[in-house]
Amino acid sequence: MRLTAFHRLAAALAAVLLTSAASAATRGPGEPPAAGAAAERWASLDRNGDGAIDRREAAARPRLTERFDRIDRNGDGRLARDEVREAVRLAEARRDARQTQSRATRARFDWLDANDDRALTLAELGDHAPRLRERFVAIDSNRDGRLVREELRAYARAQREAKGQRGA
């Protein structure tokens, strides 16, 4: 048994080392791993090699086409590398903010859930969450006097959608 576990571990380490070596071989000297992949993606889109992506080239990627005008900050009809880099940076920042918000929301829910039953009651909310208390009845979709995470998510989703419709 020990020998088998040892062989599995050795095989896994060898696979990692081989993968790393193969990845390093496809990159230029001193080039970070992600840069090689990014350069390949850029080259696959920049068909005419002019260093920018125009609308015709962007058509190969529907999501890029959909976001083209937002990414093209200077409005010249072409996406320069710095515009795309900035769009990626902003998207990553938004994703990180959403993840941080999600973790904070889960932590607050857990803190408020005094009896650890995965549901919040008006008594548990006390004075700790006045806005949630005000909206309790609207959020409690099944009217059982308890708020579970799914009810909170559904309410938040409905609020975002309503806000989006008002802004349109």
Side-chain angles (χ1 to χ4, degrees), residues 108-109 111-117 119-130 132-134 136-137 140 144-147:
R108 181 138 194 249
F109 184 98
W111 180 78
L112 289 167
D113 184 17
N115 63 0
D116 293 325
D117 67 346
L120 302 176
T121 63
L122 281 169
E124 285 175 311
L125 295 179
D127 294 330
H128 304 295
L132 194 53
R133 280 184 69 85
E134 291 170 11
F136 193 95
V137 172
D140 186 16
D144 66 352
R146 303 167 66 233
L147 301 181

Side-chain angles (χ1 to χ4, degrees), residues 7-163:
H7 282 109
R8 274 188 258 153
L9 177 61
L13 287 172
V16 168
L17 292 172
L18 287 172
T19 303
S20 297
S23 176
T26 61
R27 297 189 309 265
E31 186 177 356
E40 288 175 21
R41 282 192 305 271
W42 185 267
S44 74
L45 287 169
D46 183 18
R47 295 292 201 186
N48 62 9
D50 67 350
I53 299 168
D54 60 33
R55 287 184 188 280
R56 189 175 37 78
E57 292 167 327
R61 297 269 171 86
R63 289 180 61 192
L64 183 59
T65 301
E66 180 181 301
R67 295 170 172 86
F68 194 94
D69 290 328
R70 281 187 304 219
I71 297 170
D72 184 18
R73 302 296 251 180
N74 64 7
D76 67 354
R78 299 162 29 100
L79 303 180
R81 284 180 190 265
D82 62 330
E83 289 173 318
V84 173
R85 251 187 247 117
E86 180 65 8
V88 168
R89 188 190 67 74
L90 289 172
E92 289 171 349
R94 281 191 297 272
R95 182 202 64 222
D96 292 346
R98 279 192 309 273
Q99 289 173 346
T100 299
Q101 178 67 38
S102 180
R103 281 191 299 274
T105 301
R106 282 193 304 273
R108 181 138 194 249
F109 184 98
D110 292 343
W111 180 78
L112 289 167
D113 184 17
N115 63 0
D116 293 325
D117 67 346
R118 298 186 185 157
L120 302 176
T121 63
L122 281 169
E124 285 175 311
L125 295 179
D127 294 330
H128 304 295
R131 289 191 319 196
L132 194 53
R133 280 184 69 85
E134 291 170 11
R135 297 178 177 104
F136 193 95
V137 172
I139 299 169
D140 186 16
S141 59
N142 63 1
R143 306 292 182 246
D144 66 352
R146 303 167 66 233
L147 301 181
V148 294
R149 291 179 199 265
E150 185 49 45
E151 286 174 313
L152 290 163
R153 277 192 290 269
Y155 180 79
R157 192 172 26 254
Q159 293 299 304
R160 279 192 307 272
E161 289 171 4
K163 184 179 179 182

